Amino acid sequence: MAYVHPTHARAAQRSLGVLGVGLAGVLALWWLPTRWAAGLAHYLPLHLALETASIVAAVLVFAVAWLTPERSAAANTRILGCCFLGVAVLDFTHMLSYLGMPDFITPSNPEKAIDFWVAARLLAALGMLTAVLLPWRVRPGLSPGLLLLAVGAYVGLAHALFLPRPEWAPRTFIPGQGLTGLKIGIEIGLVLLFAASAALLLRRMRAPCGFDAPALFGAAGLMALSELFFTMYAQVTDLYNLAGHLYKIAAHALLFRALVVDGIRRPYAALERSRHELADNSARLADERQRLESILAGTRAGTWEWNVQTGATIFNARWAEMLGYRLDELEPLSIDTWRRFAHPDDLADSDAAVRRHLRGETPYYEHETRMRHRAGHWIHVQDRGVLRTHTADGAPEWMFGTHIDITDRYRAEQERAGALKRLRQLSESVPGVLFECRVEDDGKVSFPYVGRQIEALIGCRAEEAEHDAAAFYARLHPDDGARVRDEIRHARHGMHDWNASFRVVHPLYGERRIRGEARCQPRTDGVGEWFGYLQDETGTHRDQERLRLGARVFDASQEGILVTDAAVRIVDMNPAMEALSGHAKASLLGRNPRELGSGRHDAAFFAEMYASLARDGRWQGEIWNRHASGEIYVVKASMSTVLDESGRIEHYVGVFTDISALTAQRDHFSSLANFDALTGLPNRRLLDDRLQQAVGNARRGKPLVVCMLDLDGFKPVNDSVGHAEGDRLLVELAQRMQHILRAGETLARLGGDEFVLLLVDGDFRPALERVLEVTRAPVALSGGRFARVTASIGASAYRHGVEDGAQLLREADQALYRAKRAGRNRWVMFAPEAAAGVETPPA
């Protein structure tokens, strides 16, 4: 049934089965000896019964088509219904004209009966073909009355021709001889018409149809087979005539079923679908209403609806709850209810905001107001609303909005304002100067905020620098002024933090060294803002000079020496440190040693180091640093603190020795101990460690599957091509398997052609299938040769009761043995219930 659409497949199979049985009946009767087809005794009552059944079926076809509502019935249905009403009338006249019936207007005889038979069958064939040719859809312009009138005219014409003067009709039957050639030709033409309808319906069934095409197809086919019988009979009472009537009744029954499905069942099915859709829509509306109520409940918003014209107001329960009431305690509700609780000083502003919105000056109404709580205190409320409906004459009608309690936010803002005030007071009491610096697009620099201590630190007043940095620039040392300006421009161009040390010439205290740091916070309008501090580091600078002077003693040292101040800013380093790091000393002065870091140490590492320095005054360990060229190297570091007279940390001194070669040698030995020398895969030692970790994770709920893999046919290949080529085969297969594993999964080599896989995915089957697939793919050897092997895999999954990884390995080994016995080139999962019957694999 590949020819028809899947929606018709089952029904089409039934119709084809009916037609197959009908065709078999035609062939069987056609091959019967003539004597078996002789006339039947007492055929008249049987004929009356058959025709009556046929007429009833045709009338039912008309009734279904006619009574189906016009809006749901296709025009094709009405065509068939009207035509088969005519068929019923013609068949009734045919029945009355049959041989042996009383005279109906003119004497009854076979000729007269056949004439009405042919007229009925021709009307049925043309009606069927017309319905099949036209698109199957509702045609509001098609008048059922006109259609019925046309069919009535055809039926009337047939009666006018065949009843008064039946002798005028051409001969179709000669008693004693049988059917004439004209009759046989007409019947063959009818067969072709019905067959054409069946073929068109079969073609239509290639796509979904809005009607029962398979049933119509079966009806058309049975009608065609029925007409075949009426080309065979020699007597009007023989077996062929009987079979033709039976096939016609079956065809009418199929036609009735098709129209019942299309005209009755389908509309009811559509009604049922509509009922379900309505129920679904109602459920969705209820769900949306529930979601809306949940959203309102989640926002803790009180809602209000206000009729501007009448003053009628609707509040929800949350609105009353914000004020400490139940909603029923505030009834009757109106706009005066709200005005009664609103702060008198806020009403005027609120009313003005409402009027502006009603006039269309603002897209919505918004106001922050105070409302008296039941307990007597005032709460702060954010009031928002919008006009949604108008009266018929265009006047404002209903507004909808929310009240949200923002008392906590209001208090937080008040606390924030107080905190800012205290911060300003604090900034004026700490050493150094806090500042905000702003750099415009045109390069203009200003200080919207700067502590008043700047006058004592630099020599210019805060008011002078607020709108223009000229007063600040005027105090810069002539040798540092250009550099500071460049650094500020560079920070503005890259929108990055600013960090500088420079000199100023104070009008009272002379030359002073200033340290400045600021963090950049770009604004959306492109203006850059920096927030930071300035502090006097003149004394610290002198100390650094003395430290560098003392450090020259160590310039000849082969160890790298680095000196920082207490703020961990580099103040000196010897040539050996420059050679070790690849950085010139000048490029690192004033910077933090973390600029030498490799990024391999986390914050906890350095926190422990500085804690040890603070606690013991010293620290030793290994540090991974990055050379200026980008290369990573390892140093053995010895850190010490230098204290001042009061016991506070003044400097940090570090001595560094390059141990990269020793580390590489150590790592090499570690690799030899943990990785397979041939394939580079983890060996048994490293596998045990990873298996122990995986089992620990599995006990916490993560999946784990342990697999033992053995290559099938590796030994013959190894013996035939040599060990070097065998090693090449192992390396290639190891790379293939390693390539398809996911992150976190392990492939290890135990030795020879034995491997272990640790899989951590819940669905491990695809991974095992991929391993089998890549293993059995040919491997290219030297000399253009290829080797082919397969793999057998035994797997065991972690489950409750597993003691350790060794148990999983043993179980996987047992499953591997089962895979070997089952024919190799497959994987087998360990089954605990079958473990008792598994033989121990040979060594």
Side-chain angles (χ1 to χ4, degrees):
M1 296 304 296
Y3 183 80
V4 302
H5 193 271
T7 56
H8 304 305
R10 181 173 296 179
Q13 284 179 347
R14 289 196 299 266
S15 293
L16 285 174
V18 170
L19 292 180
V21 173
L23 182 59
V26 172
L27 295 175
L29 291 177
W30 186 65
W31 283 103
L32 280 176
T34 305
R35 60 186 181 85
W36 284 99
L40 302 173
H42 307 293
Y43 182 68
L44 183 60
L46 179 60
H47 178 263
L48 289 174
L50 294 175
E51 287 297 347
T52 300
S54 174
I55 291 169
V56 169
V59 171
L60 288 176
V61 169
F62 166 74
V64 169
W66 188 262
L67 296 176
T68 301
E70 186 174 353
R71 63 178 179 275
S72 61
N76 313 62
T77 303
R78 298 207 181 273
I79 291 172
L80 285 172
C82 291
C83 288
F84 273 82
L85 177 61
V87 169
V89 174
L90 291 170
D91 278 344
F92 182 72
T93 306
H94 159 75
M95 180 178 65
L96 295 179
S97 303
Y98 202 75
L99 183 64
M101 292 294 291
D103 291 344
F104 179 53
I105 300 178
T106 54
S108 297
N109 58 66
E111 284 278 354
K112 181 180 173 183
I114 291 174
D115 290 340
F116 283 102
W117 170 272
V118 171
R121 302 288 76 73
L122 182 60
L123 180 58
L126 292 176
M128 177 72 75
L129 187 60
T130 302
V132 171
L133 285 172
L134 292 176
W136 202 280
R137 65 171 182 263
V138 177
R139 296 175 181 269
L142 182 63
S143 171
L146 291 177
L147 185 59
L148 193 59
L149 183 62
V151 172
Y154 173 84
V155 173
L157 179 61
H159 282 77
L161 289 176
F162 301 140
L163 273 182
R165 309 292 291 185
E167 66 274 8
W168 288 0
R171 297 299 301 273
T172 57
F173 180 81
I174 300 175
Q177 295 183 17
L179 300 175
T180 66
L182 174 63
K183 171 63 164 62
I184 295 174
I186 293 174
E187 293 292 353
I188 292 175
L190 292 171
V191 170
L192 294 178
L193 287 175
F194 285 124
S197 297
L200 289 172
L201 286 166
L202 186 61
R203 182 176 181 182
R204 277 199 168 191
M205 284 190 288
R206 298 173 64 181
C209 299
F211 59 98
D212 194 350
L216 287 179
F217 167 72
L222 283 178
M223 289 180 186
L225 294 177
S226 171
E227 297 307 318
L228 282 177
F229 283 115
F230 291 102
T231 65
M232 301 178 185
Y233 68 86
Q235 301 179 44
V236 294
T237 61
D238 64 12
L239 190 59
Y240 299 118
N241 191 288
L242 173 63
H245 282 82
L246 292 174
Y247 275 45
K248 183 182 74 167
I249 293 172
H252 285 198
L254 275 179
L255 180 61
F256 172 70
R257 181 188 182 281
L259 295 190
V260 165
V261 170
D262 189 47
I264 297 178
R265 295 184 187 174
R266 197 179 306 277
Y268 278 110
L271 181 61
E272 186 67 14
R273 286 195 301 270
S274 299
R275 189 181 67 81
H276 285 297
E277 290 174 0
L278 180 60
D280 292 342
N281 290 336
S282 299
R284 281 195 296 271
L285 288 175
D287 181 61
E288 291 179 3
R289 179 181 179 86
Q290 181 62 38
R291 289 174 57 196
L292 180 59
E293 291 177 353
S294 299
I295 291 172
L296 288 174
T299 59
R300 302 286 292 163
T303 64
W304 53 265
E305 304 168 44
W306 173 42
N307 190 308
V308 180
Q309 301 298 320
T310 65
T313 309
I314 302 172
F315 300 102
N316 70 347
R318 171 58 187 161
W319 189 89
E321 181 187 335
M322 287 192 303
L323 301 175
Y325 294 90
R326 296 193 315 273
L327 190 60
D328 58 357
E329 294 180 286
L330 301 178
E331 293 179 347
L333 302 174
S334 69
I335 191 63
D336 294 331
T337 307
W338 174 77
R339 300 182 72 86
R340 187 169 74 248
F341 289 100
H343 196 289
D345 296 343
D346 296 338
L347 283 174
D349 291 340
S350 174
D351 291 343
V354 169
R355 287 193 295 271
R356 287 194 298 271
H357 176 59
L358 294 180
R359 290 195 299 267
E361 298 175 8
T362 57
Y364 54 88
Y365 155 74
E366 182 176 14
H367 187 258
E368 185 176 318
T369 189
R370 291 165 289 177
M371 299 182 69
R372 183 176 294 279
H373 194 271
R374 186 174 195 167
H377 62 272
W378 294 98
I379 65 171
H380 290 259
V381 173
Q382 183 70 48
D383 188 6
R384 288 192 179 97
V386 65
L387 179 66
R388 297 297 295 174
T389 66
H390 294 78
T391 61
D393 57 358
E397 187 178 22
W398 280 97
M399 283 187 67
F400 301 85
T402 60
H403 280 161
I404 299 178
D405 187 349
I406 59 169
T407 305
D408 292 341
R409 189 184 76 184
Y410 176 81
R411 291 172 181 167
E413 291 175 350
Q414 294 298 314
E415 292 175 359
R416 189 181 301 111
L420 289 175
K421 181 179 179 180
R422 291 191 296 272
L423 178 62
R424 181 178 291 274
Q425 294 172 344
L426 180 63
S427 70
E428 294 177 355
S429 349
V430 298
V433 179
L434 300 179
F435 69 89
E436 174 190 357
C437 178
R438 181 177 299 165
V439 184
E440 308 289 343
D441 289 338
D442 58 1
K444 180 183 177 181
V445 181
S446 61
F447 293 89
Y449 171 80
V450 62
R452 298 186 182 278
Q453 306 96 312
I454 192 172
E455 186 172 0
L457 184 67
I458 291 179
C460 66
R461 291 183 295 111
E463 294 79 2
E464 295 175 335
E466 283 183 356
H467 302 291
D468 195 337
F472 168 76
Y473 285 142
R475 296 302 176 190
L476 293 176
H477 192 283
D479 295 340
D480 293 348
R483 176 177 60 83
V484 172
R485 286 184 174 89
D486 288 342
E487 289 175 346
I488 292 176
R489 283 195 295 269
H490 183 64
R492 167 67 180 83
H493 179 73
M495 288 294 180
H496 55 69
D497 297 345
W498 176 71
N499 190 326
S501 177
F502 53 90
R503 292 167 294 173
V504 298
V505 180
H506 197 280
L508 297 179
Y509 309 117
E511 181 178 317
R512 305 179 75 173
R513 180 166 292 275
I514 306 299
R515 181 72 185 173
E517 293 185 7
R519 177 164 293 179
C520 178
Q521 293 187 5
R523 299 194 330 189
T524 56
D525 58 1
V527 175
E529 289 185 329
W530 283 259
F531 298 87
Y533 71 94
L534 300 171
Q535 71 178 50
D536 185 359
E537 65 168 8
T538 305
T540 304
H541 182 70
R542 295 194 186 104
D543 293 340
Q544 290 175 348
E545 287 293 332
R546 287 196 296 270
L547 183 60
R548 283 194 292 271
L549 181 63
R552 290 172 186 165
V553 178
F554 303 100
D555 282 351
S557 173
Q558 298 299 311
E559 310 295 329
I561 302 176
L562 185 70
V563 181
T564 74
D565 59 15
V568 199
R569 292 187 291 260
I570 297 174
V571 296
D572 199 8
M573 58 190 296
N574 67 348
M577 189 66 195
E578 289 181 292
L580 180 62
S581 66
H583 292 277
K585 179 172 65 176
S587 66
L588 294 178
L589 292 179
R591 299 182 180 274
N592 193 288
R594 61 173 168 264
E595 297 196 13
L596 303 175
S598 63
R600 294 193 178 186
H601 303 291
D602 56 15
F605 174 86
F606 292 104
E608 192 279 331
M609 180 182 73
Y610 284 111
S612 178
L613 286 170
R615 182 180 63 252
D616 305 323
R618 66 181 64 86
W619 178 86
Q620 287 186 343
E622 293 182 5
I623 298 178
W624 291 76
N625 283 339
R626 187 181 298 276
H627 194 270
S629 64
E631 181 182 359
I632 303 297
Y633 63 98
V634 191
V635 295
K636 180 180 180 181
S638 298
M639 306 286 191
S640 302
T641 57
V642 179
L643 306 179
D644 61 10
E645 295 78 6
S646 62
R648 292 179 300 184
I649 296 176
E650 186 178 53
H651 293 94
Y652 294 101
V653 178
V655 179
F656 304 90
T657 303
D658 188 355
I659 60 171
S660 298
L662 294 175
T663 302
Q665 187 177 22
R666 182 183 63 194
D667 291 343
H668 175 67
F669 288 137
S670 175
S671 177
L672 292 177
N674 293 285
F675 291 89
D676 178 53
L678 175 62
T679 62
L681 297 176
N683 60 13
R684 181 59 179 261
R685 177 178 178 181
L686 183 55
L687 172 65
D688 290 341
D689 180 67
R690 292 190 180 179
L691 180 57
Q692 182 180 0
Q693 295 179 21
V695 170
N697 292 335
R699 287 172 178 158
R700 291 189 291 272
K702 296 185 177 180
L704 171 63
V705 177
V706 177
C707 307
M708 294 284 292
L709 183 148
D710 186 81
L711 297 180
D712 307 323
F714 173 75
K715 187 177 185 304
V717 172
N718 197 42
D719 294 341
S720 61
V721 300
H723 294 296
E725 294 299 315
D727 289 346
R728 182 195 297 269
L729 175 64
L730 289 174
V731 171
E732 173 63 20
L733 293 181
Q735 291 176 351
R736 291 181 184 178
M737 290 187 285
Q738 185 74 14
H739 179 69
I740 64 175
L741 292 183
R742 294 184 176 88
E745 297 180 333
T746 297
L747 173 65
R749 183 187 180 209
L750 298 184
D753 59 339
E754 292 183 331
F755 298 85
V756 173
L757 295 93
L758 304 183
L759 304 179
V760 295
D761 193 346
D763 187 6
F764 59 89
R765 295 168 180 80
L768 294 180
E769 293 296 339
R770 291 195 299 270
V771 169
L772 293 176
E773 181 180 355
V774 300
T775 304
R776 59 176 169 258
V779 177
L781 304 179
S782 60
R785 293 175 296 176
F786 289 88
R788 289 180 173 83
V789 296
T790 58
S792 296
I793 303 175
S796 178
Y798 180 86
R799 61 201 178 276
H800 180 70
V802 171
E803 296 179 358
D804 51 23
Q807 178 182 343
L808 293 176
L809 283 173
R810 290 192 303 270
E811 293 173 351
D813 192 49
Q814 293 178 16
L816 171 62
Y817 179 64
R818 290 172 55 204
K820 290 281 190 180
R821 292 187 60 187
R824 307 173 185 268
N825 189 25
R826 67 193 63 219
W827 62 271
V828 172
M829 193 70 189
F830 174 77
E833 64 275 7
V838 177
E839 301 176 16
T840 303

